[in-house]
Amino acid sequence: MKKKSWEWEIRLVTESDPYIIHTNKDSALVAMKQFEETWGSGLSVYTLRKTAEIIRYDEAK
């Protein structure tokens, strides 16, 4: 069986290192909700970009 997850890069209006979010759904809305839950809603987001689709396979037994 395989499991998918997605990696998102969020950059703020201020010049700083990007924030990285991992989600189980391919949804920008889910990524932004997770960002707000983790770091709060007081930050001004400049860009949201999907950077990777990660596929994990279970090992055969």
Side-chain angles (χ1 to χ4, degrees), residues 8-14 16-23 27-49:
W8 303 83
E9 178 185 271
I10 298 173
R11 291 196 175 267
L12 302 181
V13 173
T14 59
S16 62
D17 292 334
Y19 291 83
I20 304 297
I21 297 286
H22 291 93
T23 63
S27 168
L29 182 60
V30 170
M32 286 307 300
K33 283 183 178 180
Q34 187 172 331
F35 175 79
E36 280 193 348
E37 289 170 2
T38 306
W39 287 287
S41 60
L43 301 172
S44 297
V45 173
Y46 181 66
T47 60
L48 168 67
R49 180 172 69 116

